[in-house]
Amino acid sequence: IIACIHAFRACEDISIVRCQVEGAAKPEKKWTGFAINFYLSDDSNRHICEAIITHERIIAARRDIKGNEIDLIVRSAREILQLHTSLIVADVETSALKKFFENTCGHSWNKFKNWTTEAALDEWYGLSTDDTGQVSALNLQNNALDGDLAGLGALAQCTKLIHLDLSTNTSLRGNVRSLIKLTSLTVLSLKKCNLVTGTCDPLKELTSLQHLDISYTALEGVVEVFADLIRLKSLDVRGTRIDCSN
């Protein structure tokens, strides 16, 4: 079985997207096989295939279980469809991140390890993913990002993005209107992005926000604009033109 797994990994004609132990969801259970999901490397549509490597005795035992064959077919088909959906989402997010990279002069960042490469997204500098592999956090503070905040609109394709820290990127500029597309955000920091200007009003649209730091920006307005953000736990507007007198 180990030899088969190594053969799959060494084959240049296929691209493996997931490997999973079968029948060992609980510690007390013994594994019954090893599933490999893959697509042919020259298949532009990335049709997902599945190979299950197991011992012949396991196959013989399953053959006599009523309905087992149908169950295996249905379960495998469901998992493959779920995996295919995940791959589509990953492609969309990767394209969005590459656009964001271009919009903020990525090759001039202080650090950009693995960005725009074929590496897994959670291996791109400053980027984290959730259990499903979708982008959940982006931490690029003090990293020499350069560009208009309008370029951040590309991140709207990352629908599970909840944490965005772009603090101390002093060449980021423009208004925050494009950020209203990032509706899943719970944490947002633009601290010391001193060229970020205009009204802070659009930020009231980010109704999931729990922590907001826009200190030492050039944003203006009145602090009451944040009153409807009922989930907000912390707010820092020091060093801004936001009126907190009322």
Side-chain angles (χ1 to χ4, degrees):
I1 290 175
I2 297 297
C4 289
I5 295 171
H6 283 310
F8 267 89
R9 294 184 62 184
C11 182
E12 296 181 356
D13 294 328
I14 65 173
S15 297
I16 296 175
V17 294
R18 185 180 68 174
C19 296
Q20 179 174 298
V21 175
E22 293 284 295
K26 296 181 179 180
E28 64 271 18
K29 288 190 175 183
K30 295 181 179 180
W31 73 279
T32 58
F34 195 84
I36 299 176
N37 295 113
F38 63 93
Y39 60 87
L40 299 179
S41 299
D42 61 357
D43 180 3
S44 59
N45 292 314
R46 294 188 177 183
H47 292 102
I48 303 299
C49 306
E50 181 174 75
I52 298 178
I53 304 170
T54 190
H55 196 280
E56 60 182 355
R57 292 181 181 176
I58 300 279
I59 297 175
R62 283 180 169 178
R63 192 175 294 126
D64 297 329
I65 301 175
K66 186 177 181 180
N68 186 68
E69 183 178 353
I70 294 176
D71 175 68
L72 284 175
I73 293 172
V74 172
R75 178 182 58 80
S76 296
R78 186 187 301 116
E79 290 182 352
I80 289 173
L81 286 172
Q82 291 172 345
L83 183 59
H84 186 256
T85 300
S86 298
L87 286 173
I88 293 174
V89 171
D91 282 345
V92 170
E93 292 193 333
T94 299
S95 296
L97 290 165
K98 288 181 177 179
K99 187 174 182 180
F100 164 74
F101 184 79
E102 294 172 1
N103 291 343
T104 55
C105 302
H107 289 291
S108 297
W109 292 359
N110 292 331
K111 298 178 182 179
F112 54 91
K113 182 179 179 181
N114 287 330
W115 274 78
T116 72
T117 70
E118 295 299 317
L121 290 180
D122 60 359
E123 295 178 4
W124 292 20
Y125 174 77
L127 196 152
S128 301
T129 58
D130 60 17
D131 291 340
T132 66
Q134 290 187 253
V135 177
S136 60
L138 196 54
N139 292 289
L140 294 173
Q141 61 269 31
N142 194 24
N143 204 40
L145 276 67
D146 185 356
D148 196 289
L149 283 183
L152 273 63
L155 296 177
Q157 298 296 328
C158 301
T159 57
K160 297 294 181 67
L161 180 64
I162 60 174
H163 184 113
L164 180 61
D165 188 347
L166 301 177
S167 57
T168 323
N169 283 288
T170 55
S171 293
L172 279 180
R173 55 196 175 273
N175 62 64
V176 295
R177 189 168 302 280
S178 62
L179 298 181
I180 66 174
K181 300 175 182 179
L182 309 182
T183 55
S184 296
L185 283 181
T186 61
V187 177
L188 173 62
S189 178
L190 296 173
K191 179 180 180 179
K192 294 184 179 179
C193 295
N194 52 294
L195 295 181
V196 173
T197 61
T199 177
C200 64
D201 285 12
L203 295 176
K204 68 183 179 182
E205 303 296 329
L206 300 178
T207 56
S208 295
L209 277 179
Q210 297 180 21
H211 304 280
L212 176 61
D213 189 346
I214 49 176
S215 58
Y216 305 102
T217 64
L219 286 171
E220 56 190 42
V222 293
V223 74
E224 284 78 14
V225 78
F226 303 111
D228 291 333
L229 297 180
I230 59 175
R231 296 182 175 86
L232 200 62
K233 298 177 181 178
S234 66
L235 172 64
D236 194 342
V237 296
R238 292 175 297 166
T240 68
R241 300 172 185 172
I242 297 173
D243 185 359
C244 301
S245 59
N246 292 332

